[in-house]
Amino acid sequence: MEPKKKIALVSGGNRGIGAAVAARLAESGVLVLIGSRDLAAGQAVAAPLVAEGGEAVAVQLDVTDDASVAALAGRIAETWGRLDILVNNAGIGLDHDTRLTPVVRIARTLEVNVTGTLRLTEAMVPLLARGVSPRIVNISSELGSFALRQDPDWEHADKIMPTYAASKAAVNALTVGYAQSLAGQGIKVNAICPGYTATAATNFGPDRTPGEAASAIAALALADADGPTGGFFNEAGALPW
Ligand SMILES: NC(=O)c1ccc[n+]([C@@H]2O[C@H](COP(=O)([O-])OP(=O)(O)OC[C@H]3O[C@@H](n4cnc5c(N)ncnc54)[C@H](OP(=O)(O)O)[C@@H]3O)[C@@H](O)[C@H]2O)c1
């Protein structure tokens, strides 16, 4: 019997690292649901993937919106009946937005990066529980690591972004918590830092491309039964918390 085609949902799949992860998964034979606040932007990412022979469907998704998340969960249940991979990629960083007060910066950042990750995860767990080798991959950041922040020789020591760092530390805490609470349902949950990558979030400054960042993320999403759970990684291996 043919193995079932895996079904993945990528939040923030319409650009940057999320779009590259969607492409990498589609190339690997996964049916990818490209979560996008603006459906047309998701469709623009899906179209070339489909033209190249992949399976990709743009779906409306705002991780801060209960109705959007519930509608998507309902649609996935009705259309596919299960989900195998959830990539919690949608994320923002507002530390450098001087128009906002620090209180507004952290409130908005936590709403997307932390509460949004939790909202989407909670809605998708019943579908993942029916999935094949179900995996949740949370896109975190080295900036959320307490250990690296305390290392003066760390290559990103100059990047002081306390509200973003707090949100990613919380994403790491959610990762550990869900890895434990979902283990009984066979769902593996890991966090990964994509590396400092050229996207709108970094003003396209670094040399690293989203495609380079996507490889390790896709590999973690497709990890087999021997794969880790409850870990924090970058492409080189385990990261300190
Ligand atoms: N780039 C880096 O160097 C780097 C390093 C470490 C970690 N990361 C993490 O990697 C992830 C992707 O970032 P990126 O660099 O690719 O940034 P990006 O190009 O700015 O993309 C961010 C994505 O998140 C989406 N998004 C924002 N708010 C959302 C919401 N409420 N609901 C759903 N989607 C929402 C955006 O959608 P819209 O187009 O609608 O705004 C966009 O698709 C983030 O979690 C980021 O923190 C990035």
Side-chain angles (χ1 to χ4, degrees), residues 138-146 148 168 172 175-176 189-194 220 228-234 237-241:
N138 293 329
I139 307 305
S140 183
S141 168
E142 286 188 31
L143 299 189
S145 166
F146 296 97
L148 292 172
K168 293 302 188 180
N172 285 353
T175 301
V176 173
V189 189
N190 291 289
I192 185 166
C193 175
L220 201 51
T229 191
F232 179 31
F233 304 95
N234 66 10
L239 288 170
W241 296 108

Side-chain angles (χ1 to χ4, degrees), residues 173-187:
L174 287 179
T175 301
V176 173
Y178 277 124
Q180 294 187 351
S181 66
L182 300 179
Q185 297 179 74
I187 303 172

Side-chain angles (χ1 to χ4, degrees), residues 12 14-15 17 37 62-63 89-90 139-140 164 168 195 197 199:
N14 57 292
R15 61 182 164 99
I17 292 165
R37 288 196 291 187
D62 182 337
V63 299
N89 166 78
I139 307 305
S140 183
Y164 179 74
K168 293 302 188 180
T197 303
T199 67

Side-chain angles (χ1 to χ4, degrees), residues 110-185:
L110 294 180
E111 180 57 26
V112 176
N113 297 8
V114 185
T115 313
T117 292
L118 180 143
R119 180 181 285 109
L120 188 59
T121 300
E122 290 288 330
M124 296 300 151
V125 159
L127 293 159
L128 288 161
R130 286 185 247 145
V132 178
S133 306
R135 306 283 179 260
I136 299 174
V137 180
N138 293 329
I139 307 305
S140 183
S141 168
E142 286 188 31
L143 299 189
S145 166
F146 296 97
L148 292 172
R149 174 55 60 200
Q150 290 169 58
D151 176 359
D153 298 325
W154 175 43
E155 64 171 316
H156 299 299
D158 61 326
K159 296 183 184 66
I160 314 284
M161 297 174 64
T163 66
Y164 179 74
S167 77
K168 293 302 188 180
V171 166
N172 285 353
L174 287 179
T175 301
V176 173
Y178 277 124
Q180 294 187 351
S181 66
L182 300 179
Q185 297 179 74

Side-chain angles (χ1 to χ4, degrees), residues 5-53:
K5 193 174 182 88
K6 288 195 174 181
I7 305 168
L9 170 62
V10 182
S11 67
N14 57 292
R15 61 182 164 99
I17 292 165
V21 171
R24 197 53 54 92
L25 290 172
E27 283 162 18
S28 304
V30 175
L31 189 168
V32 187
L33 309 180
I34 298 173
S36 182
R37 288 196 291 187
D38 171 5
L39 189 59
Q43 286 165 339
V45 171
L49 302 182
V50 172
E52 286 159 20

